[in-house]
Amino acid sequence: MEYTKDQIQEFVNKYAVNDNLTFPTHFEHRLDVISSKILYSLLREFKPKTCLEFGTSWGGSALVILKALVCNELPYKYIGFEKEDNLRIDTLRNITHWLTTGAANSIHFELWGDITRNLHKVPQKLDFAFIDPDWEEDIAIWTYENIIPRVKKGGLVQIHDWSVREKEGRLVYEGGGYKGIFYFIDRFERGEMPLEKLFSVWDWEEYRNSSIASSFWIKK
């Protein structure tokens, strides 16, 4: 089911371009333009209703997700988590700014702190999960055990910071040293990760220098 770069571009043209998606530039965030367009377009295509994001950082990815959910014109539930108080406040401020500038009439979202202390707030069944923690090994293990199982079969998953490519039949981590990414790689290579790759920007040379390694997956 893996998409080619041309197929992804078709989604981007159909949704991000046609919807005139604007990239938020009035604050610092870590979701690049390429990743934003792909994320938005896949959310428009898959139309998830129950959505989870952690961590939200400054809120750039939260804005992209919420814009897609609003444009889908379907009932939705968005729940975000950010354990750093200052970043969580920034996320709320930037979402509120989007509303007060007339970019949206209303949105529906929840925003909480440390997800590991608030698992009871995560729905049992998720249509979409955006995974971008601090990537220590303990949070990767916790995510594997507590969040991945809650994603429905056929649900969409974004794993951020996935600067990983397959070489000679092995997954090679090229863009960092996060222990949590190594843990996920090990789960994939053991055949224990129930995710099938849709698209990874790190697989494409022209994207690697301008993207923070977003990857998109489907729950098997």
Side-chain angles (χ1 to χ4, degrees):
M1 190 175 179
E2 185 173 351
Y3 292 134
T4 66
K5 185 162 64 70
D6 288 342
Q7 287 173 310
I8 286 293
Q9 187 60 49
E10 288 178 7
F11 285 127
V12 168
N13 291 339
K14 180 180 179 180
Y15 295 115
V17 175
N18 284 343
D19 293 349
N20 194 28
L21 175 67
T22 56
F23 183 73
T25 58
H26 61 282
F27 64 95
E28 180 182 3
H29 54 90
R30 299 292 177 86
L31 194 67
D32 58 273
V33 174
I34 291 170
S35 298
S36 295
K37 291 179 178 179
I38 297 173
L39 171 60
Y40 177 88
S41 300
L42 289 178
L43 290 173
R44 294 281 279 118
E45 176 70 14
F46 281 83
K47 296 178 171 53
K49 294 182 180 179
T50 305
C51 304
L52 166 74
E53 177 182 9
F54 78 100
T56 65
S57 191
W58 293 276
S61 50
L63 282 176
V64 172
I65 293 168
L66 286 165
K67 286 178 181 181
L69 297 178
V70 169
C71 283
N72 283 342
E73 298 184 334
L74 296 170
Y76 67 86
K77 184 179 185 68
Y78 169 92
I79 305 171
F81 293 88
E82 173 53 62
K83 70 177 184 178
E84 299 295 336
D85 292 341
N86 60 322
L87 292 178
R88 189 169 63 256
I89 291 169
D90 283 346
T91 295
L92 181 60
R93 178 185 299 116
N94 289 317
I95 291 174
T96 303
H97 174 80
W98 180 47
L99 291 172
T100 57
T101 55
N105 294 322
S106 65
I107 56 175
H108 310 284
F109 71 97
E110 297 179 24
L111 188 60
W112 303 97
D114 188 345
I115 191 172
T116 65
R117 299 181 180 180
N118 291 279
L119 183 59
H120 61 284
K121 292 182 171 65
V122 177
Q124 291 294 325
K125 298 293 183 181
L126 296 167
D127 299 313
F128 169 66
F130 184 108
I131 300 171
D132 187 19
D134 56 16
W135 287 118
E136 295 296 335
E137 187 175 48
D138 58 347
I139 191 62
I141 294 171
W142 187 91
T143 301
Y144 176 76
E145 294 177 348
N146 293 282
I147 300 302
I148 299 297
R150 297 195 184 202
V151 180
K152 298 176 183 176
K153 182 177 181 180
L156 181 66
V157 175
Q158 176 167 346
I159 300 174
H160 212 42
D161 299 306
W162 188 254
S163 47
V164 178
R165 281 192 293 162
E166 183 175 331
K167 293 184 176 181
E168 299 180 355
R170 297 296 304 274
L171 293 176
V172 179
Y173 187 13
E174 296 182 324
Y178 291 125
K179 292 181 179 179
I181 295 293
F182 282 116
Y183 175 81
F184 268 32
I185 288 172
D186 184 62
R187 296 282 75 76
F188 275 112
E189 292 193 325
R190 290 173 181 266
E192 297 172 355
M193 184 70 86
L195 299 176
E196 179 182 358
K197 186 167 70 174
L198 276 182
F199 188 77
S200 174
V201 298
W202 201 256
D203 290 339
W204 303 92
E205 183 177 359
E206 60 267 46
Y207 288 165
R208 284 197 287 275
N209 292 329
S210 56
S211 172
I212 309 176
S214 294
S215 62
F216 302 87
W217 311 77
I218 286 292
K219 178 71 176 291
K220 298 180 188 176

